[in-house]
Amino acid sequence: MKAIVLPLKPKELLLLESLSKRKKLSAEENRYFLNLKKGHEGELLFTDLASKTEGDRLVLNNLLIEHNQTTFQIDCLILTETRIFLYEVKNFEGDFYLEGDKFYKKPRRELNNPLLQLNRTASLLRQLLLSLGLNTPIEANVVFTHPAFTLYQAPLDSPIIFPNQITNHLRMINNQATKLTNKSESIAAKLLQLNKTESPHQRLPSFRYEELQKGIICPACRMLSMVSGRGVCKCESCGHKESVATTVLHQVEEFQLLFPERKLTTREIYKWCGEVLSKKVIWRILSNNFKSVGEYKSRYYK
């Protein structure tokens, strides 16, 4: 088996995860965040299953590609030597039904039809491949991952994979797959080269440094409840432990994600961590892991 798996968590979700712990989101902002999070969990589940099963194929996920001034997202691709399998992954929960080309959640809340989304993505991917001189057949499906999902009135020939069909579908791909050649790896490399790391359609709430709650978010339970001990930081909520150096580097990563325009200094990270770590410890960790620029009070790190 060969597999390429991109970083699964999009930047927009990372930002919203951090903001949701450090400020109160509006009801609409929180709903959007939870939908994004649930969708990501569905993609994680399917990609994990696709990556673990045997067989010669490449797995790509969470691609954001622009072609002919049109941006489109690919939830998951499985590349075999003879075919490309494209998936629109949905983690919907509850009862849904199709009525013509409209898609509803019961009793009657209309949602974007994932079958129409799939057709658009497949068409754009096909155009992109042709522009690259490639004519590999594409088999496209919507895959529903949540075990508590039910869809009524779906035509028998709909390109849909239900939760209880995922394992057999992946097994079918493995049984048909032949040994990969440089052709498949070349397609994967070209798609990865075109992948964009940031969506032009991000929906982030406005925020200011001053309004965000300071402190250390636990990487395990995502609570703002990490405290410092002798060489380690411990979460008072779930008991997770990690070295102080690891904790500081996590906080630096989050700080730079939220405020890329602010200079990375000992004082900034000291304040960002809620003043629970000593400046001397933070200074030593920053000095060991980043390049120092300037001296004394004007010193910052890159």
Side-chain angles (χ1 to χ4, degrees), residues 119-133:
N119 289 339
R120 175 183 182 272
T121 303
S123 175
L124 291 168
L125 177 61
R126 197 172 289 109
Q127 293 173 44
L128 170 63
L129 293 176
L130 286 173
S131 74
L132 297 173

Side-chain angles (χ1 to χ4, degrees), residues 228-233 244:
S228 176
R230 287 176 173 258
V232 299
C233 287
V244 172

Side-chain angles (χ1 to χ4, degrees), residues 12-271:
E12 183 179 22
L13 181 54
L14 288 170
L15 284 160
L16 285 167
E17 277 186 342
S18 177
L19 292 174
S20 70
K21 299 302 180 183
R22 297 187 181 273
K23 66 168 287 187
K24 184 173 177 58
L25 300 179
S26 70
E28 183 178 349
E29 290 167 347
N30 193 58
R31 185 163 51 249
Y32 177 70
F33 163 55
L34 293 177
N35 285 338
L36 201 64
K37 182 180 178 182
K38 191 168 186 179
H40 166 67
E41 290 169 351
E43 292 174 21
L44 252 180
L45 172 62
F46 182 71
T47 304
D48 186 54
L49 290 171
S51 299
K52 285 181 177 178
T53 50
E54 297 179 356
D56 261 17
R57 71 274 188 280
L58 297 169
V59 181
L60 307 181
N61 72 284
N62 200 27
L63 291 167
L64 187 67
I65 294 176
E66 182 178 341
H67 178 62
N68 285 342
Q69 300 182 324
T70 300
T71 301
F72 62 103
Q73 181 173 330
I74 296 173
D75 291 339
C76 186
L77 281 181
I78 297 179
L79 282 72
T80 67
E81 186 59 24
T82 58
R83 190 173 298 271
I84 294 176
F85 294 87
L86 166 67
Y87 302 95
E88 180 81 23
V89 182
K90 296 299 180 185
N91 196 24
F92 294 153
E93 179 180 1
D95 294 333
F96 297 77
Y97 64 96
L98 282 167
E99 198 171 87
D101 63 354
K102 299 190 184 309
F103 183 79
Y104 296 94
K105 180 171 185 179
K106 295 181 70 173
R108 196 170 176 82
R109 179 161 68 91
E110 185 174 357
L111 302 173
N112 289 333
N113 188 339
L115 292 169
L116 298 181
Q117 292 175 302
L118 177 73
N119 289 339
R120 175 183 182 272
T121 303
S123 175
L124 291 168
L125 177 61
R126 197 172 289 109
Q127 293 173 44
L128 170 63
L129 293 176
L130 286 173
S131 74
L132 297 173
L134 301 167
N135 195 25
T136 307
I138 297 173
E139 182 176 316
N141 288 282
V142 177
V143 56
F144 294 101
T145 57
H146 201 287
F149 170 82
T150 303
L151 179 64
Y152 299 94
Q153 300 178 181
L156 289 176
D157 59 351
S158 296
I160 293 173
I161 300 170
F162 292 102
N164 62 344
Q165 298 175 319
I166 293 174
T167 300
N168 283 340
H169 173 77
L170 294 173
R171 188 179 295 123
M172 176 273 295
I173 293 176
N174 293 335
N175 290 339
Q176 293 181 0
T178 57
K179 187 173 178 59
L180 289 174
T181 65
N182 291 337
K183 173 188 170 185
S184 297
E185 294 182 355
S186 175
I187 294 174
K190 288 176 180 178
L191 291 174
L192 291 171
Q193 187 177 18
L194 291 170
N195 182 54
K196 300 164 69 70
T197 58
E198 192 167 328
S199 170
H201 307 298
Q202 288 185 353
R203 290 171 51 186
L204 294 175
S206 60
F207 61 93
R208 295 177 296 106
Y209 176 87
E210 294 75 20
E211 70 176 317
L212 299 186
Q213 186 177 350
K214 309 306 185 288
I216 303 174
I217 296 175
C218 173
C221 69
R222 305 303 300 169
M223 299 299 290
L224 200 64
S225 54
M226 292 283 279
V227 296
S228 176
R230 287 176 173 258
V232 299
C233 287
K234 180 179 179 180
C235 177
E236 292 184 316
S237 178
C238 73
H240 172 79
K241 293 181 181 180
E242 63 184 20
S243 70
V244 172
T246 299
T247 294
V248 169
L249 294 176
H250 283 160
Q251 303 319 298
V252 168
E253 186 178 356
E254 181 193 19
F255 178 79
Q256 292 183 316
L257 177 70
L258 290 170
F259 304 103
E261 74 286 353
R262 293 179 79 107
K263 287 184 177 179
L264 177 60
T265 67
T266 299
R267 177 176 172 78
E268 285 277 31
I269 298 305
Y270 172 71
K271 292 287 188 183

